[in-house]
Amino acid sequence: MAFSADELRVLRRALAIALHPAPLPDEDVQDCLRLAGAVDEAVGEAGRLRAFLLADLARYRNALPGSLSGYLERLQDALAAGYDPRPEDLAALRALRGGPVAAALLERCQVLAERSVRARLAGRAVPATAPAPRSRLLALPGGRAAEPEKPKAPAAPARPPAPSERPAPKPSEVFPPRRRPVPPPQQRAAG
């Protein structure tokens, strides 16, 4: 996740306030709430992207053997992102292990699956396939919670985002397409 310079300034202030609580001006509280909203939105977008990628992996797995290269590529990407291989993945790789890439992936997936099972049996937490929901930011120490309740004025109409606020990145910006390696030129033997 990348932060803009303004978001980093707000984050730095929020961390300083967390370490040394002090009353906050309304503007600082609003900045922190906007940053928390942006982080929540980015986490939600990452969860949606992960769900899409896992669904895409399942579609390619279901279309095997015709989608062999696409499935292997997506499985490698998912493993790099922390995906725990499922029994369906292991079964598909066993059926495809005639190829060198599938055989190498099968070995890697078996090691990861075994590690995951051992961790579950030992009672340790294993990374979930989806991120856990984050609780909403309700109050900041020394912020509005420290002030007595004031009567609320009618809410102002929503303003359009300022040009300095960055929109959420598109999945293609976060995960650019993979470049396929160029095979080395074949050399001919003289003779």
Side-chain angles (χ1 to χ4, degrees), residues 157-182:
R159 63 173 178 82
S164 65
E165 294 178 12
R166 291 182 18 203
K170 297 177 187 172
S172 61
E173 295 171 341
V174 177
F175 298 98
R178 284 184 39 169
R179 304 277 185 235
R180 298 205 177 172
V182 178

mmCIF file of all heavy atoms in Angstrom, residues 157-182:
data_model
loop_
_atom_site.group_PDB
_atom_site.id
_atom_site.type_symbol
_atom_site.label_atom_id
_atom_site.label_comp_id
_atom_site.label_asym_id
_atom_site.label_seq_id
_atom_site.Cartn_x
_atom_site.Cartn_y
_atom_site.Cartn_z
ATOM 1 N N PRO A 157 -23.574 19.046 2.945
ATOM 2 C CA PRO A 157 -23.620 18.127 1.807
ATOM 3 C C PRO A 157 -22.215 17.621 1.486
ATOM 4 O O PRO A 157 -21.220 18.298 1.709
ATOM 5 C CB PRO A 157 -24.175 18.983 0.660
ATOM 6 C CG PRO A 157 -23.990 20.406 1.094
ATOM 7 C CD PRO A 157 -23.979 20.397 2.590
ATOM 8 N N ALA A 158 -22.168 16.399 0.977
ATOM 9 C CA ALA A 158 -20.874 15.786 0.656
ATOM 10 C C ALA A 158 -20.176 16.594 -0.426
ATOM 11 O O ALA A 158 -20.783 17.007 -1.402
ATOM 12 C CB ALA A 158 -21.079 14.355 0.189
ATOM 13 N N ARG A 159 -18.893 16.826 -0.203
ATOM 14 C CA ARG A 159 -18.133 17.600 -1.178
ATOM 15 C C ARG A 159 -17.405 16.644 -2.108
ATOM 16 O O ARG A 159 -17.044 15.539 -1.707
ATOM 17 C CB ARG A 159 -17.151 18.523 -0.482
ATOM 18 C CG ARG A 159 -16.098 17.781 0.324
ATOM 19 C CD ARG A 159 -15.050 18.738 0.857
ATOM 20 N NE ARG A 159 -14.076 18.043 1.652
ATOM 21 C CZ ARG A 159 -13.039 17.374 1.169
ATOM 22 N NH1 ARG A 159 -12.849 17.311 -0.111
ATOM 23 N NH2 ARG A 159 -12.186 16.774 1.972
ATOM 24 N N PRO A 160 -17.155 17.056 -3.324
ATOM 25 C CA PRO A 160 -16.390 16.188 -4.213
ATOM 26 C C PRO A 160 -14.951 16.102 -3.714
ATOM 27 O O PRO A 160 -14.463 17.016 -3.056
ATOM 28 C CB PRO A 160 -16.464 16.889 -5.576
ATOM 29 C CG PRO A 160 -16.804 18.307 -5.263
ATOM 30 C CD PRO A 160 -17.575 18.296 -3.966
ATOM 31 N N PRO A 161 -14.251 14.977 -4.010
ATOM 32 C CA PRO A 161 -12.874 14.850 -3.514
ATOM 33 C C PRO A 161 -11.972 15.933 -4.085
ATOM 34 O O PRO A 161 -12.100 16.326 -5.237
ATOM 35 C CB PRO A 161 -12.442 13.467 -3.999
ATOM 36 C CG PRO A 161 -13.414 13.081 -5.051
ATOM 37 C CD PRO A 161 -14.663 13.866 -4.810
ATOM 38 N N ALA A 162 -11.096 16.421 -3.233
ATOM 39 C CA ALA A 162 -10.153 17.454 -3.659
ATOM 40 C C ALA A 162 -9.157 16.842 -4.642
ATOM 41 O O ALA A 162 -8.890 15.651 -4.598
ATOM 42 C CB ALA A 162 -9.419 18.013 -2.442
ATOM 43 N N PRO A 163 -8.571 17.660 -5.507
ATOM 44 C CA PRO A 163 -7.620 17.108 -6.470
ATOM 45 C C PRO A 163 -6.392 16.479 -5.814
ATOM 46 O O PRO A 163 -5.749 15.630 -6.396
ATOM 47 C CB PRO A 163 -7.205 18.306 -7.323
ATOM 48 C CG PRO A 163 -8.084 19.432 -6.947
ATOM 49 C CD PRO A 163 -8.815 19.068 -5.707
ATOM 50 N N SER A 164 -6.097 16.889 -4.568
ATOM 51 C CA SER A 164 -4.917 16.326 -3.903
ATOM 52 C C SER A 164 -5.184 14.912 -3.384
ATOM 53 O O SER A 164 -4.258 14.189 -3.089
ATOM 54 C CB SER A 164 -4.484 17.220 -2.752
ATOM 55 O OG SER A 164 -5.488 17.230 -1.758
ATOM 56 N N GLU A 165 -6.470 14.506 -3.242
ATOM 57 C CA GLU A 165 -6.791 13.166 -2.771
ATOM 58 C C GLU A 165 -6.669 12.194 -3.935
ATOM 59 O O GLU A 165 -7.241 12.405 -4.997
ATOM 60 C CB GLU A 165 -8.203 13.122 -2.200
ATOM 61 C CG GLU A 165 -8.352 13.960 -0.943
ATOM 62 C CD GLU A 165 -9.773 13.941 -0.423
ATOM 63 O OE1 GLU A 165 -10.578 13.125 -0.878
ATOM 64 O OE2 GLU A 165 -10.075 14.764 0.443
ATOM 65 N N ARG A 166 -5.935 11.128 -3.710
ATOM 66 C CA ARG A 166 -5.718 10.144 -4.766
ATOM 67 C C ARG A 166 -6.869 9.160 -4.822
ATOM 68 O O ARG A 166 -7.334 8.690 -3.791
ATOM 69 C CB ARG A 166 -4.438 9.372 -4.493
ATOM 70 C CG ARG A 166 -3.214 10.194 -4.639
ATOM 71 C CD ARG A 166 -1.976 9.397 -4.419
ATOM 72 N NE ARG A 166 -2.201 7.961 -4.523
ATOM 73 C CZ ARG A 166 -1.436 7.060 -3.961
ATOM 74 N NH1 ARG A 166 -0.407 7.424 -3.256
ATOM 75 N NH2 ARG A 166 -1.675 5.781 -4.088
ATOM 76 N N PRO A 167 -7.330 8.797 -6.016
ATOM 77 C CA PRO A 167 -8.341 7.742 -6.104
ATOM 78 C C PRO A 167 -7.705 6.388 -5.821
ATOM 79 O O PRO A 167 -6.487 6.239 -5.885
ATOM 80 C CB PRO A 167 -8.828 7.843 -7.557
ATOM 81 C CG PRO A 167 -7.672 8.441 -8.288
ATOM 82 C CD PRO A 167 -6.992 9.361 -7.299
ATOM 83 N N ALA A 168 -8.532 5.410 -5.508
ATOM 84 C CA ALA A 168 -8.020 4.064 -5.251
ATOM 85 C C ALA A 168 -7.396 3.514 -6.526
ATOM 86 O O ALA A 168 -7.920 3.734 -7.619
ATOM 87 C CB ALA A 168 -9.151 3.157 -4.784
ATOM 88 N N PRO A 169 -6.268 2.811 -6.405
ATOM 89 C CA PRO A 169 -5.621 2.283 -7.609
ATOM 90 C C PRO A 169 -6.435 1.148 -8.224
ATOM 91 O O PRO A 169 -7.161 0.434 -7.533
ATOM 92 C CB PRO A 169 -4.280 1.765 -7.099
ATOM 93 C CG PRO A 169 -4.518 1.477 -5.667
ATOM 94 C CD PRO A 169 -5.537 2.483 -5.200
ATOM 95 N N LYS A 170 -6.310 1.006 -9.523
ATOM 96 C CA LYS A 170 -6.980 -0.079 -10.243
ATOM 97 C C LYS A 170 -6.162 -1.353 -10.050
ATOM 98 O O LYS A 170 -4.951 -1.290 -9.811
ATOM 99 C CB LYS A 170 -7.043 0.249 -11.730
ATOM 100 C CG LYS A 170 -7.850 1.484 -12.027
ATOM 101 C CD LYS A 170 -7.786 1.770 -13.506
ATOM 102 C CE LYS A 170 -8.426 3.093 -13.819
ATOM 103 N NZ LYS A 170 -8.221 3.492 -15.201
ATOM 104 N N PRO A 171 -6.803 -2.531 -10.147
ATOM 105 C CA PRO A 171 -6.044 -3.778 -10.008
ATOM 106 C C PRO A 171 -4.881 -3.872 -10.998
ATOM 107 O O PRO A 171 -3.830 -4.402 -10.678
ATOM 108 C CB PRO A 171 -7.080 -4.867 -10.277
ATOM 109 C CG PRO A 171 -8.374 -4.240 -9.893
ATOM 110 C CD PRO A 171 -8.225 -2.772 -10.241
ATOM 111 N N SER A 172 -5.051 -3.312 -12.197
ATOM 112 C CA SER A 172 -3.967 -3.387 -13.179
ATOM 113 C C SER A 172 -2.776 -2.516 -12.780
ATOM 114 O O SER A 172 -1.656 -2.759 -13.206
ATOM 115 C CB SER A 172 -4.474 -2.966 -14.560
ATOM 116 O OG SER A 172 -4.928 -1.622 -14.523
ATOM 117 N N GLU A 173 -3.012 -1.500 -11.949
ATOM 118 C CA GLU A 173 -1.913 -0.670 -11.467
ATOM 119 C C GLU A 173 -1.170 -1.350 -10.320
ATOM 120 O O GLU A 173 0.035 -1.206 -10.173
ATOM 121 C CB GLU A 173 -2.432 0.689 -10.996
ATOM 122 C CG GLU A 173 -3.025 1.518 -12.102
ATOM 123 C CD GLU A 173 -3.737 2.767 -11.568
ATOM 124 O OE1 GLU A 173 -4.085 2.813 -10.381
ATOM 125 O OE2 GLU A 173 -3.939 3.667 -12.375
ATOM 126 N N VAL A 174 -1.914 -2.089 -9.494
ATOM 127 C CA VAL A 174 -1.324 -2.756 -8.345
ATOM 128 C C VAL A 174 -0.584 -4.024 -8.782
ATOM 129 O O VAL A 174 0.508 -4.312 -8.331
ATOM 130 C CB VAL A 174 -2.408 -3.109 -7.304
ATOM 131 C CG1 VAL A 174 -1.817 -3.880 -6.137
ATOM 132 C CG2 VAL A 174 -3.073 -1.844 -6.801
ATOM 133 N N PHE A 175 -1.197 -4.779 -9.686
ATOM 134 C CA PHE A 175 -0.625 -6.022 -10.169
ATOM 135 C C PHE A 175 -0.455 -5.927 -11.682
ATOM 136 O O PHE A 175 -1.327 -6.313 -12.438
ATOM 137 C CB PHE A 175 -1.531 -7.218 -9.840
ATOM 138 C CG PHE A 175 -1.718 -7.419 -8.375
ATOM 139 C CD1 PHE A 175 -2.847 -6.936 -7.716
ATOM 140 C CD2 PHE A 175 -0.757 -8.068 -7.617
ATOM 141 C CE1 PHE A 175 -3.014 -7.120 -6.361
ATOM 142 C CE2 PHE A 175 -0.919 -8.244 -6.270
ATOM 143 C CZ PHE A 175 -2.039 -7.773 -5.638
ATOM 144 N N PRO A 176 0.676 -5.400 -12.153
ATOM 145 C CA PRO A 176 0.868 -5.284 -13.596
ATOM 146 C C PRO A 176 0.963 -6.667 -14.232
ATOM 147 O O PRO A 176 1.295 -7.638 -13.561
ATOM 148 C CB PRO A 176 2.183 -4.512 -13.727
ATOM 149 C CG PRO A 176 2.872 -4.731 -12.443
ATOM 150 C CD PRO A 176 1.812 -4.939 -11.398
ATOM 151 N N PRO A 177 0.659 -6.762 -15.522
ATOM 152 C CA PRO A 177 0.730 -8.070 -16.175
ATOM 153 C C PRO A 177 2.156 -8.619 -16.156
ATOM 154 O O PRO A 177 3.118 -7.866 -16.257
ATOM 155 C CB PRO A 177 0.271 -7.793 -17.609
ATOM 156 C CG PRO A 177 0.285 -6.317 -17.768
ATOM 157 C CD PRO A 177 0.283 -5.691 -16.415
ATOM 158 N N ARG A 178 2.250 -9.908 -16.006
ATOM 159 C CA ARG A 178 3.569 -10.551 -15.980
ATOM 160 C C ARG A 178 4.123 -10.633 -17.389
ATOM 161 O O ARG A 178 3.404 -10.894 -18.337
ATOM 162 C CB ARG A 178 3.459 -11.966 -15.419
ATOM 163 C CG ARG A 178 3.292 -11.957 -13.925
ATOM 164 C CD ARG A 178 3.274 -13.313 -13.358
ATOM 165 N NE ARG A 178 4.218 -14.217 -14.000
ATOM 166 C CZ ARG A 178 4.540 -15.403 -13.568
ATOM 167 N NH1 ARG A 178 4.000 -15.843 -12.475
ATOM 168 N NH2 ARG A 178 5.386 -16.163 -14.209
ATOM 169 N N ARG A 179 5.383 -10.405 -17.499
ATOM 170 C CA ARG A 179 6.073 -10.534 -18.777
ATOM 171 C C ARG A 179 6.558 -11.973 -18.899
ATOM 172 O O ARG A 179 7.135 -12.529 -17.968
ATOM 173 C CB ARG A 179 7.271 -9.588 -18.850
ATOM 174 C CG ARG A 179 6.899 -8.140 -18.613
ATOM 175 C CD ARG A 179 6.394 -7.524 -19.906
ATOM 176 N NE ARG A 179 6.158 -6.109 -19.689
ATOM 177 C CZ ARG A 179 5.016 -5.529 -19.927
ATOM 178 N NH1 ARG A 179 4.015 -6.207 -20.406
ATOM 179 N NH2 ARG A 179 4.871 -4.244 -19.709
ATOM 180 N N ARG A 180 6.329 -12.555 -20.041
ATOM 181 C CA ARG A 180 6.793 -13.920 -20.256
ATOM 182 C C ARG A 180 8.270 -13.895 -20.623
ATOM 183 O O ARG A 180 8.700 -13.051 -21.402
ATOM 184 C CB ARG A 180 5.991 -14.572 -21.364
ATOM 185 C CG ARG A 180 4.532 -14.627 -20.947
ATOM 186 C CD ARG A 180 3.830 -15.692 -21.617
ATOM 187 N NE ARG A 180 2.468 -15.692 -21.076
ATOM 188 C CZ ARG A 180 1.517 -16.407 -21.546
ATOM 189 N NH1 ARG A 180 1.728 -17.184 -22.559
ATOM 190 N NH2 ARG A 180 0.325 -16.365 -21.014
ATOM 191 N N PRO A 181 9.044 -14.826 -20.066
ATOM 192 C CA PRO A 181 10.478 -14.845 -20.375
ATOM 193 C C PRO A 181 10.684 -15.222 -21.852
ATOM 194 O O PRO A 181 9.974 -16.051 -22.417
ATOM 195 C CB PRO A 181 11.053 -15.884 -19.452
ATOM 196 C CG PRO A 181 9.891 -16.725 -19.030
ATOM 197 C CD PRO A 181 8.677 -15.851 -19.123
ATOM 198 N N VAL A 182 11.660 -14.579 -22.462
ATOM 199 C CA VAL A 182 11.984 -14.844 -23.855
ATOM 200 C C VAL A 182 12.955 -16.026 -23.875
ATOM 201 O O VAL A 182 13.983 -16.001 -23.206
ATOM 202 C CB VAL A 182 12.620 -13.597 -24.503
ATOM 203 C CG1 VAL A 182 13.008 -13.888 -25.945
ATOM 204 C CG2 VAL A 182 11.685 -12.415 -24.421
#
